[in-house]
Each structure stands twice: as C-alpha cells, then as structure tokens.
Amino acid sequence: MNTRAMRASHSAPVGVLCILFAVAASCSPAAEKPSGAPDDPSGAPQTPDSPSQLEPDDPADQPEDGEEPSILSVEGWLESVAVTWAPHPNATAYNVYYKGGAAADYTQIDAPLVRNYGGYYRADIPGVAAGAYTIKVAPVVDGKEGEGAVRTATAAAHDRSGYAFYGGKTPGGYTMDGTPKANARIIYVTDQNKDSVTLGVNVEGKGDETLTGIYPIINGHRKGNETRPLVIRLIGQIHIPASTDKGDIVFDTKNAADAYITLEGVGNDATADGWGARLKNASNIEISNIGFMNTASEEGDDVGLQQKNYYIWVHNCDLFYGQAGSDADQAKGDGAMDAKGSTYVTFSYNHFWDTGKTHLIGNKETGPDGTPGLLTLHHNWYDHSDSRHPRARVHTAHVYNNYYDGVSKYGIGATYGCSVFAEGNYFRNAKYPMLISMQGSDTGTFSSEDGGIIKAYNNYMSGQASFVAYGSANTTQFDAYVAATRSEIIPAAVKTLKGAHAYNNFDTAGDFYAYTPDEPQAAKDKVMQYAGRMGGGDFKWTFTGADDSSYSVDAGLQAALTSYQTALVGQ
C-alpha cells in the first residue's frame, strides 16, 4: 500500500539573464555555494527541513497595516526552499527575498515565483546550492513595502549519480552545485503565456531571432547554433500548447556539445497536462519536478528518448496515465519513460503511479555511437506499476536502489543480449522481480526474444510468485545470476538459454563510475521521501492491497487525473 504522507529588485547575478512575462523583476537566484555545503555531487541528498518543523503563526492573529505577514510554513527541498503565508488584509503585492551562504545581502526573487493559492500565498526559490537560507516576506501596502517576516530553511543537494554525469558532464542549465550556469537564461511559462512567451534564439548562427511560445523556443535549438544555457520553469498546470509535434515538446539540439537545457517545474504543482516531452538528437538535457498526466502524444510516452541522445537526466517527476493506445496493453498509455538509441542517461527519483509499460530501454538497436547504450535507473518509485522497470534490449543498464511497490507483472526484464546489474533494490509484492526471456520464470508470456543476463546483488524480495537464481544445478533455467559480492565477475560460461548471450561485466570494469549505493531498506525509505515532485507533489492517491496484483486501469485514479485542477489562482 502506498503509505506516503502528505507533505506538503536587486540586479541579476552575474552571467544570468532572466526573461519574464508581463512583469519586470530581478533575475532568479544563482547563489554561490554556501560554506559547509557538500563537495561530493554524487552523494545522497541531505535531509532538508520539513514544513511540519515550523511552528506557524496564529492564523487568528491577522496582521494589520505595516505588520509582517503570518507565515504558515517553510520548506527546504532539493536545491530549493519555499515559504507559505496567510494573505495580508491590505497587501496588493509581496516582495520576497532570500540570503544565505556567501550572499550576505538579501536578493529579491522573481515575481513569477510568488503565487496566490486563494487561502494562502507561496514563494519558491529554486536554483540554490545546498545550505541554510534566510527568507523574508514583505507585504506591499499603498505602494510601500511593509515589515517583513523572516524565517530560515535548509536546501539539500541533488543526488547526481549515474551515466548522465559520466566524465564530469552536467546535463541541463545548472552547475553541479545546483546554481545556474554562466550566461544561463531563465524563462517562466504558465498556462496563460505558454503560447506567447518570447525569447531571442540564435537559430541560424547569425544572431538572435525572437521566437514565441514554449515549443518554438525549444525548437529554435534544433540546428545546434544556440549554446547559451537555458532554464525553462513551469508554473502551475499547463495544458497542451498550441504548437507541438504530435502532442510532444521535442528537444533536438543537433547534439551540440555546448547546448544545455533544463525543463523544470516550480514548487509542488507544476504539471504537463495532456502533453509529453520527446528527445531526439539531443544532448545535455535535464527534465525535473514535473507531473506528466493525461498525455495525448501520438508517440505515446510521457517522456520519450528516441534516437541519438547523449547525457540526459530525468529526475523527480511524477508519471501518471497517458491516453490509451490502440493495443490491449496500452490502456494506461504506451510508455511512461522510454530510452531508445540513447546513451549516458540517468533516470532517478521519479514516481510512477500505476503506469503500464514503464521503461523500454533500447529497441533492438545500439546506442548512437554504435555500441550498447549506457543507462542508470536509481531511486525510482514503481508504485503499483505493471511492467518494464526496465525491459532492456541490447543496452547496458545499472538498476539500483529502486522501490518496486506492488508490481503486478514483472520488475526487471532482460532480452536481446543486454546486460543489467540489479543492485540494492527493494521488491515488495512484485510478481516476478526479474525475468530473462525464454527461461527461468518466463513461461513464454514475457518475451520470445533472445535473453539478456541480469547480475543481481543485495536485493530484498518479499511476496513474489517466483524467483530462480543461477546455480550449479541450474545453469539454464534462471532469472538472474546472484552475485556473492558487488565486484564478482560473471564467468563467460554463464549464457542465456536463447541466443547464448553472456554478461559484459561493465560494473567491474575500471572505467565504471563512482557511486554509493544504499541498503535496500534505506533505499526504500529514501525513495518514499524524495521520489517525485517537491514534497510529494500536490496530487494525492492511496492504493489498496488489491492493487498489488491488478494491472487494470484504476477507474478512480483515472477520474481523479482527468478532473485534476490546480489550486493556483488564475488557472
């Protein structure tokens, strides 16, 4: 059962340009790394402040003119902090400031980061390094700024582990410490301005052209001439834009080495409602903190990596049902987050809500450089999702510290000569935790393709229907080779029954990346705390025990998704 609790102008920093809509405001924060912030970018997230740790002001004690606002909560999260407060009776606006670390003086945040939810206001401050920050909320009454309420919150570092960061790469518009890259430009997109927001983009390599709308702006990078980092921040519930490619926003940067784009949500309620994100010929892309629901893409994925993508990081997203496809197994949409013909990819800390076919990794083709693609899947929450966590073909995948929570069909599936290292995962009521096609627990219903080899180490399993380990008396009918140590090398004699494929031992090679795995129980706890959008997102749903074995569409969940409406005023 899903038991996750509800959780609820100064000049711009040097080198960062902010583009706003219908307002003039200072640029978003690009704070320097505070002293004491962790230096290891691959380390696990620190524990940020929880809103429940703050003793709220008495809401009955409403402020008078000139008095400070009544703070309801403060929250520290992953490289961001947030504050909520009760409406001031006479305020026409609010100015919100922050300081922390090396920034001794207050910096005013961008106007779009301050939002009205009717009964309360909220301000988020993304793009800050791990550390403690002081936040001040000041009402504006009769054109004058009143006394500000001051609180503190602590931001934690993101866990930047896996193949997306191989060789020191940092996908997206942020640096390894979570602050915007030099010369990064930041735009804010809402449901109201998704088709009217503008930005100058160097499309042809001859200078800026003014492009209008979120997709035309992204599509302006397709020739690889625009190399200024770009951060696109989504505010609230955004329905499908007027301009898409078959229901998708497509990222194509012609694999330009210096093109960096981040598409991220602000706060806990940023939603792509009815549209998906598709990548092809793209490099250095980050997608984070977005809820994808009711996706009506012709390609069928919430997030789909197609051909020739390098250095992609998709993390802390909520993935829900998409539009039903034509096949019987596409009732929940086609795929949630696939990766075909892509390499140096990390999918981490995402929350998959009863998805059907979750990850297809590879599609009989190699990676963009002609060798098997390299992918990492870690700390994802497969919350009553059915299958493909992942289904791997050809590619090489490190699958560690994920939580398989009531999986009705199978967890990890290996076909077409792939190599998968499954480590430190927590399987609860996963019918078949691991399958290799045409052998072991696969009775022929999983796949008729050649098999691939799974190396399993330190996984926890309970409630499964079957799991068969390789052994001296069982050298052909096995689901995985269970290693005694992480560094164990699988002998070349261990082969799949169909296709006679061996494991490539990528995880013991000298060029494998550095990382720090959790024990399975600790991984489960961390996943339940951090996977998905900030604070668990604004959409809440509780699965029952019956959902563990059901792979049918949950009619109640589907109805809740189709009727979802943000509480953000003006949307």
Side-chain angles (χ1 to χ4, degrees):
M1 180 179 294
N2 178 344
T3 57
R4 185 176 198 160
M6 292 181 62
R7 299 173 293 191
S9 138
H10 286 54
S11 59
V14 174
V16 180
L17 172 65
C18 182
I19 312 297
L20 305 180
F21 60 93
V23 294
S26 61
C27 193
S28 58
E32 297 181 20
K33 183 176 181 180
S35 59
D39 292 319
D40 180 8
S42 65
Q46 299 171 319
T47 302
D49 293 339
S50 166
S52 61
Q53 292 177 337
L54 175 68
E55 185 69 27
D57 298 331
D58 184 355
D61 184 17
Q62 292 295 324
E64 298 178 359
D65 288 358
E67 289 188 354
E68 65 182 47
S70 177
I71 301 298
L72 301 178
S73 70
V74 292
E75 180 177 7
W77 193 244
L78 302 172
E79 293 163 11
S80 65
V81 292
V83 60
T84 66
W85 63 94
H88 190 285
N90 297 302
T92 57
Y94 298 88
N95 295 332
V96 180
Y97 306 84
Y98 80 101
K99 65 179 179 179
D105 297 326
Y106 278 115
T107 298
Q108 185 175 354
I109 70 172
D110 298 333
L113 296 172
V114 181
R115 290 104 65 210
N116 180 6
Y117 289 88
Y120 66 96
Y121 282 80
R122 176 179 175 122
D124 285 86
I125 309 173
V128 296
Y133 293 88
T134 301
I135 307 169
K136 182 171 72 171
V137 180
V140 178
V141 179
D142 295 330
K144 297 180 180 180
E145 183 177 294
E147 183 178 354
V150 176
R151 298 292 188 274
T152 61
T154 301
H158 272 299
D159 181 354
R160 290 178 171 83
S161 301
Y163 275 117
F165 306 95
Y166 195 82
K169 283 283 189 177
T170 311
Y174 293 103
T175 64
M176 286 293 277
D177 72 357
T179 58
K181 287 185 166 107
N183 300 317
R185 300 187 298 169
I186 299 172
I187 62 173
Y188 292 89
V189 178
T190 69
D191 202 43
Q192 290 76 21
N193 83 329
K194 64 194 176 194
D195 300 316
S196 60
V197 62
T198 61
L199 183 67
V201 179
N202 185 11
V203 180
E204 302 291 344
K206 300 176 182 179
D208 284 355
E209 301 175 30
T210 299
L211 303 180
T212 302
I214 179 175
Y215 180 42
I217 288 171
I218 294 173
N219 196 41
H221 292 69
R222 70 191 181 279
K223 295 188 177 181
N225 294 311
E226 179 56 80
T227 59
R228 290 168 291 186
L230 176 62
V231 176
I232 303 170
R233 291 176 174 169
L234 305 184
I235 304 285
Q237 181 182 13
I238 300 178
H239 297 89
I240 187 167
S243 176
T244 66
D245 185 338
K246 301 177 182 179
D248 284 324
I249 299 294
V250 179
F251 293 78
D252 180 348
T253 63
K254 203 177 180 180
N255 293 125
D258 296 323
Y260 296 90
I261 303 176
T262 288
L263 179 71
E264 67 175 349
V266 172
N268 66 353
D269 63 341
T271 306
D273 192 344
W275 53 280
R278 182 168 15 120
L279 285 68
K280 63 177 184 178
N281 306 310
S283 296
N284 305 312
I285 306 297
E286 175 190 15
I287 299 175
S288 70
N289 200 43
I290 301 169
F292 290 89
M293 62 175 63
N294 310 311
T295 304
S297 162
E298 289 186 26
E299 296 292 332
D301 299 339
D302 289 336
V303 179
L305 278 60
Q306 295 191 336
Q307 68 274 15
K308 297 182 180 179
N309 299 298
Y310 296 83
Y311 301 105
I312 310 298
W313 184 29
V314 185
H315 63 101
N316 292 100
C317 291
D318 286 308
L319 292 303
F320 300 98
Y321 292 157
Q323 187 179 68
S326 57
D327 295 341
D329 62 354
Q330 295 176 332
K332 300 176 180 180
D334 185 12
M337 188 180 291
D338 290 354
K340 308 165 190 173
S342 301
T343 193
Y344 299 112
V345 174
T346 295
F347 294 157
S348 59
Y349 291 92
N350 299 293
H351 189 174
F352 297 87
W353 301 68
D354 196 34
T355 50
K357 300 192 295 183
T358 304
H359 304 294
L360 177 60
I361 302 300
N363 191 22
K364 304 181 185 179
E365 80 276 23
T366 58
D369 57 0
T371 62
L374 303 171
L375 301 99
T376 304
L377 292 77
H378 72 92
H379 292 93
N380 297 292
W381 188 353
Y382 300 116
D383 195 353
H384 296 82
S385 49
D386 301 337
S387 64
R388 298 188 176 185
H389 314 91
R391 175 175 178 159
R393 287 170 166 159
V394 181
H395 288 355
T396 293
H398 186 199
V399 182
Y400 75 95
N401 284 163
N402 300 288
Y403 179 28
Y404 295 80
D405 183 10
V407 172
S408 60
K409 292 184 179 180
Y410 69 90
I412 301 167
T415 69
Y416 264 104
C418 71
S419 293
V420 178
F421 180 30
E423 175 187 16
N425 299 290
Y426 193 106
F427 295 90
R428 186 201 69 83
N429 288 357
K431 186 175 182 180
Y432 299 113
M434 303 177 195
L435 288 176
I436 297 174
S437 57
M438 302 302 292
Q439 65 182 67
S441 298
D442 179 27
T443 60
T445 58
F446 163 49
S447 172
S448 60
E449 299 168 347
D450 283 9
I453 295 291
I454 301 173
K455 173 183 174 180
Y457 172 71
N458 195 31
N459 297 284
Y460 173 84
M461 300 178 187
S462 68
Q464 68 273 14
S466 176
F467 175 73
V468 183
Y470 177 94
S472 59
N474 182 29
T475 60
T476 58
Q477 295 295 334
F478 60 93
D479 298 330
Y481 181 101
V482 178
T485 65
R486 182 182 296 113
S487 60
E488 182 175 348
I489 296 175
I490 298 183
V494 178
K495 297 182 183 295
T496 61
L497 181 61
K498 183 173 182 181
H501 297 285
Y503 188 71
N504 65 12
N505 288 300
F506 70 97
D507 55 295
T508 56
D511 59 354
F512 192 51
Y513 55 76
Y515 69 107
T516 305
D518 298 311
E519 289 297 311
Q521 180 63 53
K524 172 193 170 184
D525 295 343
K526 187 180 292 184
V527 165
M528 294 184 72
Q529 181 177 6
Y530 288 108
R533 290 174 293 173
M534 182 176 186
D538 67 329
F539 183 90
K540 307 299 176 183
W541 187 261
T542 300
F543 293 105
T544 68
D547 293 310
D548 287 356
S549 58
S550 173
Y551 50 84
S552 300
V553 172
D554 188 314
L557 174 58
Q558 188 174 54
L561 291 168
T562 55
S563 63
Y564 167 82
Q565 179 62 48
T566 179
L568 181 61
V569 172
Q571 289 198 350

